[in-house]
Amino acid sequence: MSGPNTDYDPVEVAAVSPAEVEAARDAALAAIAAAADLEQLKAVRTEHAGDRSPLALANREIGALPPQARKEAGQRVGQARGAVNQALAARQVELEADNEARILVEEAVDVTLPTDRDPVGARHPLTTGAELIADIFVAMGWEVAEGPVIEAEWLNFDALNLGPDHPARTMQDTFWTDPGEDHLVLRTHTSPVQARTMLTRGVSEGAPIYVVCPGRVFRTDEYDATHSPMFHQVEGLAIDEGISMAHLKGTLDHFASQMFGEGITTRFRPSYFPFTEPSAEVDLICFVCRGVGHDDKGVCRTCRGEGWIEWGGCGIVNPRVLQACGVDSTRYSGFAFGMGIDRTLMFRHGLEDLRTLFEGDVRFTTAFGSEL
Amino acid sequence: MKAPVSWIRELVDLPESVTTEVLTDRLTALGLKLEGIHAAGAGIEGPLVIGRVLTQDKEPQKNGKVINWCTVDVGDANGSGEPQGIVCGAHNFGPGDKVVVILPGGVLPGDFRISERKTYGHLSAGMICSAAELGLPDDGADGIIVVPADGPEPGTDAREFLGFGDEVIEFEINPDRAYALSLRGVAREAALGFDVAFTDPAVRELPEVDGKAWQVDVEDPAGCPVFAARLVSGFDPTRPTPEFIQRRVEQAGMRSISLAVDVTNYVMLELGQPIHGYDADKVAGGLGVRRARSGERLTTLDDAVRELSTEDLVITDDSGPIGLAGVMGGATTEMSDTTTRILVEAAHWDATSMFRTGKRHKLTSEAGKRNERGVDPLLPGVAVDRVVELLVAHGGATAEPGFTLVGTAPERPTITIAPDLPARLSGIDISAMTTVEHLRAIGAVVTEHESGALEVVPPSWRPDINDPYDLVEEVVRIVGYDQVPSVLPRRATGRGLSRTQRLRRRIGRTLAGAGCVEVVSFPFVGPATFDKLGLAADDPLRTTVGLANPLSSEEPSYTTTLLPGLLNAAARNVGRGAPGVALFETGTVAFPSDNGPAPIYGVHTRPSEAELEKLFEALPVQPLHLAVVLAGERTRSGWWGAGAEAGWSDALSVVRRLADELGVEIEVTSAARMPWHPGRCAVISVDEVVIGHAGELHPTVCKAFGLPVRSAAVELDLDALMAAAVDVTPGPVFSTMPLAKEDVALVVDDAVTVAAVEDALRDGAGELLESVRLFDVYTGEQIGEGRKSLAFALRFRAADRTLTEAETGAARDAAVAAAAERTGAVQR
């Protein structure tokens, strides 16, 4: 059949008319903009971009148009649908972001709530203090030597030039095991570890001894704020060719500055110990008042105004000790020193009562954490 | 040792610029450590004068006390010259006595202001003072100070008499400086310190020995190398001690007793030589010096009856022992207030013997203290002569002509020393000349040998100097310890921390990370401790290393378990309000070895290897243990809900965490063992060797220690655990192929352990099984009485491929079949 399309439906033609398409597009864009949430947007999508939406219907009419009209109408409808879809996508992103933001606000918590569900552990400052000291010496190439707490009398006394009539061997000072004929003691110092090191390792060319010996020791002291039947010592022993008091001083100065801060040094005073000759007491320049004896608030509490703190004993190893321990004293000399770890911690941390170290109150120990 | 500064200055020519502080600083630098400076009279102000009591009326009071209403002549000190009326409560004085009076306006120590006041019906204008009221050391007189008759006149300021303004230096004398237990020694050090002249009080012209003063027979010259004695007669026992002697004796911290006794003490303080005075009329026959005989007894001056040992040196007369030589005299020949003939004795004694006697009789005396440290052997004759001089001068006595001097001082050794040894050992640049000079300064005789070596004879008063190193200390202390330079030794090449040292740190950190707090407790225990742990009478833990002298008779042993200390600490924390506590301790415990006793070797040579071996073997076995105690809340309660109470599983969890950290495979089995709950105690083993236990504590043990029930504990042999620790961890190999999951629920009898089922599943599943983990235990009616349902999650994975459902299913079925066969498990 040819001739004009007399069947042409003016209504359907109207659907793709520029006015109609524009109206449908504008209605869709307005509805998209008005959608307040994702739910509403979903309804808008169905109404304005769904299969039965005006623009979808208009699209369907395009095929019915005369060929010369199709291109123009197709362009018109296609652009309108594109604009609607773009607006939908943009609004979708917008509303999703809004939604997420709202959820995050709703999920807010009070971050100041306590969180201490799990118990806090800690290592004892006597342990970590001994490690701190050991590390200072290990960094200098020294080693850490250890020995038993219940020790042979010979190693605790005789080998260290504390002869059978030395006052320290009386029952007043030393815990003896029962029966006394077993010749065993709770070691009164960590010095037997020094003797053991010399005896078992020996000293030879190229193999000097540089050891620190931290450990638990016992004396029959009554238990009070400054005395304890059990306490902790660290001793050091260096045996090498040409060792002198100058090396002792150098080592202790280094130890002091590592332990208490740059510039903290030591001084020696003549003293007496059976295992050393010459012997000296070691004082530490007060690390709080730096030797002045007082600060703005008055007399320094750490050194009680002395400017110095008594730290320990030291000296050149007595050749009699070297002899008993098999070291050739004509070739080698050595120095030894010793101080209380408990006491060192007491003044380093300002502890008032020695007993807090042994009570086991977790509030004391946890304050120090896992390292000193 | 207490030394008055005025006395030191009398013996050494110290410049005025040397203040007490300068002096003590220098002496400390030389080795006489300052203990304190006592300045008598500190805190006293105003008129403190000598008074003479004129009248003393005793007036009983209603309260039963008797007070003395006194009038006291205080010269012109009160401005009027009239007697001063004073009420006094003390009774150790009478009319005519001289006393010390503080007048109104004065101040006593403690800001005690004196004014006229009405008391006991009198107007008391001042106070008659006791030593304590003046802040002086207790003189033991227990009352007011009575001034010797030859003391200052009434009205004189009392300060000089009381020694105020004269500071007393107290030194701590080291055992090697016994010579400084005398003014002679202290003054010598002061002279050395300031390089000034020193008057040695021991240098005196002794009279020619003109016959014996007394018959003396020294049977034991090794114990008593020198014995000196002189006799005085006509001594007036009523004579008071001269003021300067009394003051100095008291300043030195000794009591003034009587002229004769005070004089012997005075000379001992001056020279360092102990002296004994006998009432010569009470001595029966000649004196002897010997060791005591078995069964002999002696009543010493302190009125103690002492059973003598055959090692004790004694002084005898015809009656037997009359003195514990060098330590304390006997009561029978004690000087009294009627003694007129005094036998003065001084001797040099063997120091070791003195020390042993003092220790044996638990007797410390001023004499013993000096004799056991070693006294100058040249002193006995000098000291005796000096005492006689003072008794003659102040006691009206006459010296008898005889002078007994038995024996000779032991020879001093000659020490050979290289002149550069002080420089080598001190690191200070000390010349040979300085060495010689300083050795001479301490009184040594130095001979320079052709070879350059020095031959040194130490002075008689320095028994402590015996070898070259002793001489080095003398030289270096004079040069000054402050001259020692600070030099680090050459860098050592150490091997760092040992493996066990590193492992111990790791264990501590792991436990702290698991919320446990480290404790350090005393290792002393006793039978009651073990009773509290509920240990059976024959429990091996009761076999301890005992202490001969424990601090407490309740705890006479070194512990075999760390639990008691830890349980007590836990209870302490709970008692102080902790809602939960997790504690751990590492420490050695001790078990007796039967290889004792430990030998005592000589010290002149090193023991042989075999000897050392014997020594080490004789020691108790002392393994390092670890214990953990968990009590109360293991996790805290809070807004998140209730916390979990500690229980048996927490104890095992700690053990497993530790084992994992160290790479140790442990086996867990059950056992009944105190102090644990009999049904909730795990035995921890490594390679079938038991290394410890973990679980819930027995309720009676919790109760005994005051801990909440269900508290849990662990004790492990840490040495054994560390020995099993993996040395070098092999690189783990694992598959990245997909995981296949299969869960199975198996019903077994209650008695079947999870470990047994798990082992069967593992074995049955074969090599495709990656892990098996129990995730639920169910008991209830559905399962039936005496049965339980165990739900396991099986995880399968192949190294090289994705597993098919058929493969996984087959492995699961095989696992269930093995469980059924070995444990009777039935799949639900």
Side-chain angles (χ1 to χ4, degrees):
Chain A
M1 224 166 15
S2 64
N5 181 3
T6 53
D7 257 354
Y8 193 75
D9 180 351
V11 175
E12 294 188 2
V13 170
V16 294
S17 75
E20 283 296 317
V21 170
E22 204 172 306
R25 184 197 64 194
D26 289 349
L29 291 180
I32 289 167
D37 56 29
L38 290 167
E39 199 67 23
Q40 285 178 24
L41 189 66
K42 197 177 168 191
V44 170
R45 185 189 302 277
T46 310
E47 192 182 338
H48 294 280
D51 289 348
R52 313 197 66 78
S53 64
L55 286 175
L57 293 176
N59 199 41
R60 243 178 268 164
E61 291 305 322
I62 292 171
L65 290 180
Q68 65 274 29
R70 275 184 211 164
K71 189 182 173 193
E72 197 192 339
Q75 246 173 19
R76 190 158 56 238
V77 173
Q79 276 172 5
R81 293 183 78 190
V84 168
N85 283 335
Q86 224 172 355
L88 272 173
R91 187 63 182 149
Q92 176 78 22
V93 170
E94 245 174 66
L95 287 176
E96 276 178 2
D98 284 356
N99 193 45
E100 197 163 299
R102 198 186 61 248
I103 290 172
L104 290 180
V105 168
E106 284 168 8
E107 284 180 354
V109 297
D110 177 0
V111 295
T112 68
L113 280 168
T115 57
D116 52 347
R117 217 170 308 217
D118 296 317
V120 176
R123 293 197 299 153
H124 199 281
L126 282 169
T127 305
T128 51
E131 288 178 3
L132 173 64
I133 293 168
D135 287 346
I136 292 169
F137 283 92
V138 168
M140 287 196 283
W142 292 46
E143 292 180 13
V144 179
E146 290 161 306
V149 164
I150 303 178
E151 185 58 283
E153 178 182 1
W154 187 82
L155 282 167
N156 193 75
F157 292 126
D158 301 66
L160 301 167
N161 194 35
L162 283 105
D165 290 306
H166 195 278
R169 291 175 82 144
T170 60
M171 296 281 267
Q172 278 97 55
D173 289 317
T174 304
F175 284 111
W176 294 83
T177 71
D178 186 34
E181 297 76 50
D182 275 351
H183 300 299
L184 298 174
V185 298
L186 304 197
R187 65 180 180 193
T188 58
H189 43 196
T190 46
S191 314
V193 181
Q194 300 186 18
R196 282 170 171 268
T197 305
M198 288 187 268
L199 285 163
T200 56
R201 191 192 291 187
V203 187
S204 56
E205 178 73 45
I209 290 176
Y210 289 91
V211 292
V212 276
C213 324
R216 194 169 281 196
V217 301
F218 296 84
R219 307 255 173 102
T220 56
D221 282 330
E222 287 297 332
Y223 192 35
D224 62 31
T226 53
H227 297 86
S228 168
M230 179 180 90
F231 55 102
H232 299 75
Q233 272 190 341
V234 60
E235 296 194 2
L237 173 74
I239 309 275
D240 204 340
E241 282 173 307
I243 286 287
S244 75
M245 290 173 81
H247 298 126
L248 172 58
K249 179 87 163 64
T251 302
L252 289 174
D253 281 346
H254 179 75
F255 181 18
S257 67
Q258 292 292 299
M259 195 79 188
F260 296 99
E262 209 56 47
I264 299 303
T265 55
T266 61
R267 76 170 177 197
F268 289 171
R269 281 180 290 114
S271 189
Y272 171 77
F273 306 106
F275 25 89
T276 50
E277 186 79 35
S279 301
E281 301 267 358
V282 193
D283 296 340
L284 183 72
I285 199 161
C286 178
F287 56 94
V288 175
C289 67
R290 300 226 150 214
V292 180
H294 56 83
D295 55 19
D296 323 338
K297 293 171 209 130
V299 174
C300 176
R301 287 184 60 200
T302 302
C303 64
R304 296 195 179 83
E306 297 284 319
W308 294 87
I309 299 166
E310 288 185 26
W311 198 19
C314 66
I316 292 294
V317 180
N318 194 313
R320 292 161 192 242
V321 174
L322 297 180
Q323 191 175 46
C325 295
V327 174
D328 179 359
S329 65
T330 61
R331 177 156 180 202
Y332 299 100
S333 56
F335 68 72
F337 61 84
M339 48 274 300
I341 299 177
D342 320 56
R343 222 183 88 72
T344 301
L345 292 182
M346 280 185 80
F347 59 72
R348 188 174 190 260
H349 298 275
L351 308 182
E352 302 274 330
D353 192 326
L354 180 64
R355 289 171 291 198
T356 52
L357 289 167
F358 305 113
E359 273 185 342
D361 194 311
V362 296
R363 292 169 298 177
F364 174 80
T365 311
T366 48
F368 295 92
S370 253
E371 294 286 339
L372 268 193
Chain B
M1 174 69 197
K2 289 179 178 169
V5 174
S6 64
W7 202 352
I8 298 174
R9 286 187 181 275
E10 200 173 285
L11 298 172
V12 58
D13 199 8
L14 290 175
E16 281 301 314
S17 62
V18 177
T19 61
T20 301
E21 201 184 336
V22 171
L23 176 63
T24 54
D25 280 354
R26 187 72 188 108
L27 290 176
T28 296
L30 282 172
L32 302 190
K33 196 195 166 193
L34 177 68
E35 187 75 30
I37 299 173
H38 306 284
I44 299 177
E45 292 169 35
L48 183 73
V49 299
I50 302 292
R52 178 184 281 112
V53 180
L54 301 174
T55 63
Q56 183 191 40
D57 297 326
K58 294 191 181 297
E59 297 180 354
Q61 303 295 313
K62 281 183 215 144
N63 62 10
K65 269 172 76 172
V66 177
I67 62 106
N68 292 306
W69 169 239
C70 307
T71 55
V72 184
D73 171 14
V74 293
D76 291 329
N78 56 3
S80 67
E82 293 297 313
Q84 195 84 357
I86 299 174
V87 170
C88 182
H91 300 282
N92 65 319
F93 66 104
D97 278 346
K98 281 190 197 171
V99 292
V100 176
V101 178
I102 186 147
L103 296 172
V107 182
L108 289 180
D111 200 26
F112 179 26
R113 291 170 185 279
I114 305 299
S115 56
E116 285 191 349
R117 63 189 185 106
K118 277 201 164 153
T119 181
Y120 295 112
H122 297 284
L123 185 67
S124 182
M127 201 166 116
I128 301 174
C129 302
S130 71
E133 284 157 350
L134 295 174
L136 299 175
D138 182 16
D139 59 359
D142 190 28
I144 61 115
I145 296 170
V146 178
V147 180
D150 71 341
E153 287 309 303
T156 315
D157 192 293
R159 287 175 173 80
E160 194 188 333
F161 162 75
L162 290 166
F164 290 3
D166 185 11
E167 290 163 310
V168 177
I169 308 173
E170 183 170 4
F171 297 104
E172 186 187 319
I173 303 296
N174 284 322
D176 61 336
R177 307 213 173 273
Y179 64 96
L181 290 170
S182 67
L183 264 298
R184 181 195 188 210
V186 171
R188 188 191 300 281
E189 291 291 295
L192 188 63
F194 295 95
D195 199 17
V196 291
F198 163 61
T199 313
D200 187 347
V203 173
R204 56 188 291 121
E205 196 86 6
L206 291 189
E208 292 288 312
V209 176
D210 181 17
K212 285 175 185 162
W214 205 268
Q215 174 64 38
V216 175
D217 182 15
V218 177
E219 277 180 42
D220 192 335
C224 178
V226 183
F227 191 101
R230 282 195 76 181
L231 182 66
V232 297
S233 57
F235 175 73
D236 178 359
T238 66
R239 294 262 189 118
T241 303
E243 181 272 320
F244 78 98
I245 292 182
Q246 181 189 338
R247 173 158 45 83
R248 285 177 169 179
V249 164
E250 286 175 351
Q251 281 176 325
M254 299 178 77
R255 281 175 58 184
S256 168
I257 291 165
S258 67
L259 174 60
V261 173
D262 292 350
V263 162
T264 59
N265 285 335
Y266 181 81
V267 176
M268 176 179 73
L269 291 169
E270 183 179 58
L271 300 176
Q273 168 69 53
I275 302 130
H276 189 69
Y278 302 82
D279 184 332
D281 292 329
K282 295 180 188 164
V283 178
L287 293 183
V289 176
R290 60 167 170 81
R291 302 280 166 176
R293 297 191 179 118
S294 182
E296 280 184 330
R297 288 177 175 201
L298 174 69
T299 305
T300 41
L301 285 178
D302 55 1
D303 288 329
V305 180
R306 299 181 185 275
E307 300 283 343
L308 300 177
S309 149
T310 54
E311 283 185 27
D312 289 332
L313 278 166
V314 289
I315 294 169
T316 61
D317 67 1
D318 291 351
S319 70
I322 57 166
L324 201 50
V327 181
M328 195 174 273
T332 57
T333 54
E334 185 178 2
M335 294 186 291
S336 71
D337 53 10
T338 58
T339 299
T340 57
R341 289 174 76 231
I342 300 172
L343 180 58
V344 182
E345 165 253 296
H348 184 67
W349 304 102
D350 170 57
T352 302
S353 180
M354 294 295 107
F355 172 75
R356 289 184 182 166
T357 292
K359 187 171 137 183
R360 188 178 299 117
H361 296 286
K362 294 187 173 62
L363 192 53
T364 50
S365 65
E366 291 289 332
K369 195 165 85 183
R370 287 169 175 80
N371 281 325
E372 73 185 33
R373 283 170 172 80
V375 180
D376 184 347
L378 298 181
L379 283 178
V382 175
V384 162
D385 196 54
R386 173 76 169 134
V387 169
V388 168
E389 176 189 53
L390 291 172
L391 291 177
V392 168
H394 302 287
T398 307
E400 295 294 327
F403 197 144
T404 299
L405 202 49
V406 180
T408 48
E411 288 263 324
R412 297 295 289 130
T414 299
I415 305 164
T416 305
I417 176 176
D420 66 340
L421 190 65
R424 276 193 279 134
L425 287 182
S426 67
I428 310 172
D429 188 10
I430 300 172
S431 70
M433 215 177 75
T434 304
T435 296
V436 171
E437 197 180 298
H438 290 343
L439 289 176
R440 286 189 175 137
I442 63 155
V445 176
V446 183
T447 314
E448 290 175 70
H449 203 263
E450 279 170 24
S451 66
L454 306 176
E455 291 190 339
V456 183
V457 180
S460 58
W461 58 87
R462 295 297 303 272
D464 59 299
I465 298 180
N466 292 299
D467 62 38
Y469 278 48
D470 298 331
L471 295 173
V472 170
E473 181 172 275
E474 293 305 304
V475 174
V476 178
R477 77 183 176 103
I478 299 171
V479 171
Y481 275 26
D482 57 345
Q483 299 301 306
V484 175
S486 186
V487 180
L488 276 173
R490 69 172 186 179
R491 198 152 282 269
T493 49
R495 293 162 295 183
L497 295 177
S498 71
R499 174 176 151 77
T500 53
Q501 284 160 356
R502 281 184 284 116
L503 282 175
R504 285 207 309 267
R505 291 184 176 197
R506 196 166 163 186
I507 288 164
R509 291 203 191 95
T510 302
L511 290 164
C516 300
V517 177
E518 190 176 13
V519 163
V520 175
S521 48
F522 294 163
F524 305 124
V525 291
T529 321
F530 296 127
D531 293 345
K532 269 173 98 175
L533 290 177
L535 300 187
D538 62 348
D539 193 297
L541 291 184
R542 286 185 184 264
T543 308
T544 58
V545 176
L547 297 176
N549 53 336
L551 277 188
S552 156
S553 56
E554 309 277 292
E555 294 178 336
S557 294
Y558 201 92
T559 195
T560 50
T561 160
L562 297 180
L563 286 176
L566 216 46
L567 291 170
N568 284 327
R572 194 169 298 128
N573 279 287
V574 170
R576 289 177 184 179
V581 61
L583 302 179
F584 78 97
E585 176 163 20
T586 60
T588 50
V589 298
F591 302 100
S593 79
D594 291 323
N595 303 328
I600 298 285
Y601 298 124
V603 291
H604 299 297
T605 55
R606 178 188 186 278
S608 69
E609 294 301 327
E611 284 173 327
L612 275 183
E613 189 67 17
K614 189 162 184 281
L615 188 78
F616 295 151
E617 278 176 2
L619 296 183
V621 181
Q622 299 170 65
L624 185 68
H625 272 204
L626 162 73
V628 180
V629 168
L630 309 164
E633 283 187 353
R634 177 68 176 126
T635 58
R636 298 192 70 177
S637 300
W639 55 269
W640 51 78
E645 291 287 312
W648 67 271
S649 68
D650 297 295
L652 272 157
S653 166
V654 169
V655 174
R656 289 202 169 100
R657 190 152 168 180
L658 208 53
D660 287 348
E661 175 67 28
L662 300 188
V664 177
E665 273 199 39
I666 55 164
E667 300 122 40
V668 174
T669 51
S670 67
R673 182 191 167 88
M674 290 303 276
W676 284 274
H677 185 304
R680 296 181 172 195
C681 172
V683 181
I684 314 295
S685 311
V686 174
D687 291 334
E688 293 176 9
V689 176
V690 174
I691 65 159
H693 297 82
E696 185 176 308
L697 287 166
H698 196 289
T700 62
V701 175
C702 293
K703 201 173 161 197
F705 281 91
L707 286 170
V709 285
R710 310 243 175 270
S711 291
V714 177
E715 182 154 20
L716 296 178
D717 181 335
L718 215 45
D719 284 336
L721 186 71
M722 290 192 294
V726 65
D727 200 0
V728 178
T729 306
V733 177
F734 50 85
S735 164
T736 52
M737 289 293 152
L739 177 71
K741 302 178 179 179
E742 291 281 347
D743 291 349
V744 296
L746 301 172
V747 177
V748 292
D749 284 343
D750 266 345
V752 176
T753 65
V754 170
V757 180
E758 201 178 294
D759 283 349
L761 286 171
R762 203 182 295 279
D763 291 348
E767 61 184 15
L768 293 178
L769 184 75
E770 183 175 87
S771 70
V772 52
R773 182 167 184 275
L774 177 90
F775 67 91
D776 194 25
V777 180
Y778 176 78
T779 54
E781 281 177 23
Q782 293 175 345
I783 307 298
E785 185 84 1
R787 307 270 285 167
K788 61 188 173 189
S789 170
L790 306 174
F792 290 94
L794 306 180
R795 297 291 177 261
F796 297 96
R797 188 157 14 209
D800 55 352
R801 64 188 189 280
T802 304
L803 291 175
T804 63
E805 273 184 38
E807 281 178 303
T808 313
R812 178 202 60 215
D813 292 346
V816 171
E821 189 196 332
R822 291 192 357 208
T823 67
V826 177
Q827 192 167 8
R828 274 178 85 191

